[in-house]
Each structure stands twice: as structure tokens, then as C-alpha cells.
Amino acid sequence: MSDSGVRCMWMRGGTSKGGYFLADDLPADVAARDALLLRVMGSPDPRQIDGLGGADPLTSKVAVVRKSQRQGIDVDYLFLQVFVDRPVVTDAQTCGNILAGVGPFAIERGLVAGQAGRTEVRIFTENNGQVAVATVETPGGRPRYDGTARIDGVPGTAAPVPIAFEDTAGSSCGALLPTGSPVDTIDGIKATLIDNGMPCVVLRAADMGIRGDESPRELEANQELRARLESIRLKAGPLMNLGDVRDKSVPKMTMVSPARNGGAISTRTFIPHRAHAAIGVLGAVSVATACLTEGSPVAAIAIIPAGGQKSLSIEHPTGEMTVIATMAADGSMARAAILRTARKLFDGIVFG
């Protein structure tokens, strides 16, 4: 890369963080783009010492944003996961946490005109074709990052960024339940293979030989558990129309147990080889949908509120994430919304 570098904004989006780039500022050639992003992050290296990555999949992420030419859409967003210790950049999934920063970034870069008070940004996710609507606090037409909203997994408070998701069912796998069944048995374990914005394999923690309240560190140290999860994941990939997932970051593997703090369900998630400190936004949506799917292993242990609009608290290792599910007349989930926050960390030039 030349000494001139590339313009970049580093942001925290939800419980993740990474680099936000305008598409036109990156190489048009995918191989050249990925090589640059690997250098920017410092991959492959477990410490990412020669780059800006934080030695964790949650802090080695990229958003590529462009003004959209689609009717009724403001910006297109491509999410890229940069692996930490392998020379891999993948667009096989999207990220609802990094999505939280796309609206503010689009306004900062002039792709969307900020309105007085609040600005709605309609975002098309290139990874899976879904549409999300983010509402950004914009006093004076500029994004505001300070506020009183709090999300688990992030210290302090910030301005709220509520995000509503549209048409997420089957966005990566072609169907909400890609096998057509709410329960499949893989390696003797009953699981729900589901995609409501994020492909997930949802299993009962007890069936995997754990309590379900272990810390991420404990789970990562359990080599037998990790081997069993990976075996199931590799077999689930083709069943979910994802093909060979050996080098893919999907599906996510979520083990569920009864809620412990008044929520709908408790979760422990591998993403897919590291234990998540929380849970991904769209992963939470997929798990909430599994809770609402009659016949799924998780439905039998989930606590479901009554009413046409259901607030499901998805517990995770560092707190909870609430999914607001609006139900259709046939009992399916018509729309999901979630509260996130974002913060601009720096804006400048990054060198590859």
C-alpha cells in the first residue's frame, strides 16, 4: 500500500468495534481489498500486534458503506469479518452490532443528510439482502454519541440507536428453517437450524454436558465441548444451504438453558470457534425466533410473554439483549427490533 493510506473511521457499534470505510476509498479488486484489510487489522496474528485489531473476532470487523442506488434505501452496507489468527476475510455473514454505527457514519460522511432531532437511515445489507432502519440522534443535523441508553457488554451510557429489521427470515439460508423442520438431530443432539438474519444452530446446553452458566473462558477451555460443537457445525452447514463451513464464520453455535435473571432464555454462543462475551444482534433475533417456534428444543424451556408484541430478554454472559418481536396473524414473527448504541472513536487515515 502507498504511504498515502486510506480514510477510515474507527467506531464501536453495539458490543463490537472496527473500521468503517467508504466503498470508493478501498481497492475495487476484492483480493487487493482483503489484503489491505488484513494488514490494517494485523492478521494473521493472535495479538494482531502489527495492526489495529483487538485480538478478538468482536474487534476485528469492517463496514464498507456506499450511497445506495436502490429505491427507498439510503446506503448499502457490506460487513466483512477479518479473522484474527488466519489470513481470511469473509462476507459470509452480516453483523447487527457493527450495523449500529452505519447510520452515524453515513451522516458523518455526507451520504445521508442529518435532520433536526432524529434521522432515520434505511440500510440495505449486501451480505444477505435484508433491510434495517436505524434511528440516529441528530441534534443540529449531526450525530450525537452521548446519551443515557445502556446496553449490556458496554460500559457507561450513550445515545440510543434503535434498529428495526425487515425481511430477515432466510436471508442467508433461503428459509427461516432451511431443513423445513423445527428440530434436527445431528450427532445424537437435537437442534434447531434457523436463520432469521443470522444462521444459528440452537441446542440445549444440558444436551452438550454443560450447565449453561459457564463463563466464556471456561467454555473455551473445554476442548471436548468445542470438538463436539465443531462436528455438529460442519454437518449443519450443508443442511442449512451454507455448503462447507470449515472456513466460514457461520453458522453460530448457541447453547440455551432456562433463564436465570427473569429473561426468556439464557445463552452461551460460539462465533463459531471463540466463545462470545455476549451475543450478536441478529444471533439474538434468531434465538428469539427459535423460542417462538413450536416444536423447537428451546421452545420447551423458554419463557414467552403474552400478546401480539413480545419483549424477549435473551440473557448472555455479560447481561441481556431484548428483542421486540411483532407477531403476524399466523403466529410468525413479522418484525424484530432491538436497541443498540454506537460511538465514534477516531476519524483519520489508516495505513496498510
Side-chain angles (χ1 to χ4, degrees):
M1 192 66 193
S2 69
D3 291 339
S4 59
V6 177
R7 193 180 185 196
C8 172
M9 185 178 291
W10 220 259
M11 301 186 76
R12 175 188 61 77
T15 54
S16 296
K17 65 180 175 181
Y20 289 68
F21 297 85
L22 291 176
D24 290 344
D25 290 338
L26 290 171
D29 177 75
V30 171
R33 179 201 69 189
D34 291 354
L36 168 64
L37 295 177
L38 287 167
R39 291 195 297 271
V40 166
M41 288 296 182
S43 298
D45 172 42
R47 296 173 61 203
Q48 291 184 317
I49 193 64
D50 198 35
L52 295 176
D56 189 287
L58 302 182
T59 58
S60 188
K61 299 184 173 187
V62 168
V64 182
V65 184
R66 72 179 78 233
K67 192 170 184 62
S68 184
Q69 302 302 311
R70 306 171 198 273
Q71 184 69 30
I73 301 296
D74 294 309
V75 295
D76 295 342
Y77 153 58
L78 176 68
F79 170 72
L80 298 173
Q81 178 71 62
V82 182
F83 281 44
V84 174
D85 54 0
R86 298 168 64 191
V88 174
V89 179
T90 177
D91 63 0
Q93 67 174 84
T94 186
C95 177
N97 276 302
I98 290 296
L99 172 65
V102 171
F105 174 76
I107 298 169
E108 293 266 12
R109 287 289 189 261
L111 302 182
V112 176
Q115 307 299 309
R118 293 183 179 87
T119 303
E120 280 196 354
V121 181
R122 292 185 61 83
I123 304 164
F124 177 85
T125 303
E126 294 184 41
N127 304 73
N128 55 18
Q130 73 183 33
V131 175
V133 183
T135 302
V136 183
E137 299 285 326
T138 50
R142 301 294 302 169
R144 176 181 180 177
Y145 298 101
D146 64 307
T148 59
R150 183 186 302 275
I151 61 173
D152 287 328
V154 177
T157 61
V161 183
I163 303 173
F165 298 98
E166 301 176 356
D167 301 324
T168 54
S171 53
S172 294
C173 300
L176 177 68
L177 299 171
T179 68
S181 173
V183 58
D184 291 276
T185 301
I186 304 176
D187 288 354
I189 302 296
K190 291 182 178 180
T192 297
L193 312 185
I194 193 164
D195 171 22
N196 201 4
M198 179 62 68
C200 292
V201 177
V202 185
L203 324 94
R204 285 186 293 236
D207 292 344
M208 298 301 295
I210 67 170
R211 300 183 309 275
D213 61 356
E214 291 86 349
S215 70
R217 180 172 293 183
E218 287 179 87
L219 294 175
E220 289 195 350
N222 189 334
Q223 296 301 321
E224 180 183 353
L225 171 67
R226 295 178 68 172
R228 292 181 69 196
L229 284 173
E230 183 64 0
S231 175
I232 293 171
R233 193 180 79 88
L234 293 178
K235 292 170 184 171
L239 296 175
M240 299 180 75
N241 303 316
L242 296 170
D244 184 353
V245 297
R246 195 175 309 274
D247 293 323
K248 295 181 180 179
S249 54
V250 288
K252 310 301 186 188
M253 306 296 291
T254 297
M255 297 170 287
V256 299
S257 59
R260 291 163 171 80
N261 297 299
I265 202 75
S266 178
T267 66
R268 294 295 186 269
T269 300
F270 275 80
I271 56 172
H273 304 123
R274 295 283 299 273
H276 204 312
I279 189 171
V281 169
L282 291 165
V285 172
S286 287
V287 170
T289 308
C291 290
L292 298 168
T293 301
E294 186 177 353
S296 73
V298 60
I301 58 175
I303 299 174
I304 307 299
Q309 188 174 79
K310 303 180 186 296
S311 179
L312 283 78
S313 173
I314 308 301
E315 298 177 1
H316 56 72
T318 50
E320 67 86 38
M321 187 180 298
T322 297
V323 176
I324 308 299
T326 302
M327 309 305 292
D330 63 0
S332 64
M333 184 188 293
R335 190 181 195 192
I338 205 153
L339 175 65
R340 296 283 84 190
T341 67
R343 189 166 82 88
K344 178 170 63 173
L345 302 176
F346 80 71
D347 189 4
I349 304 296
V350 65
F351 297 89

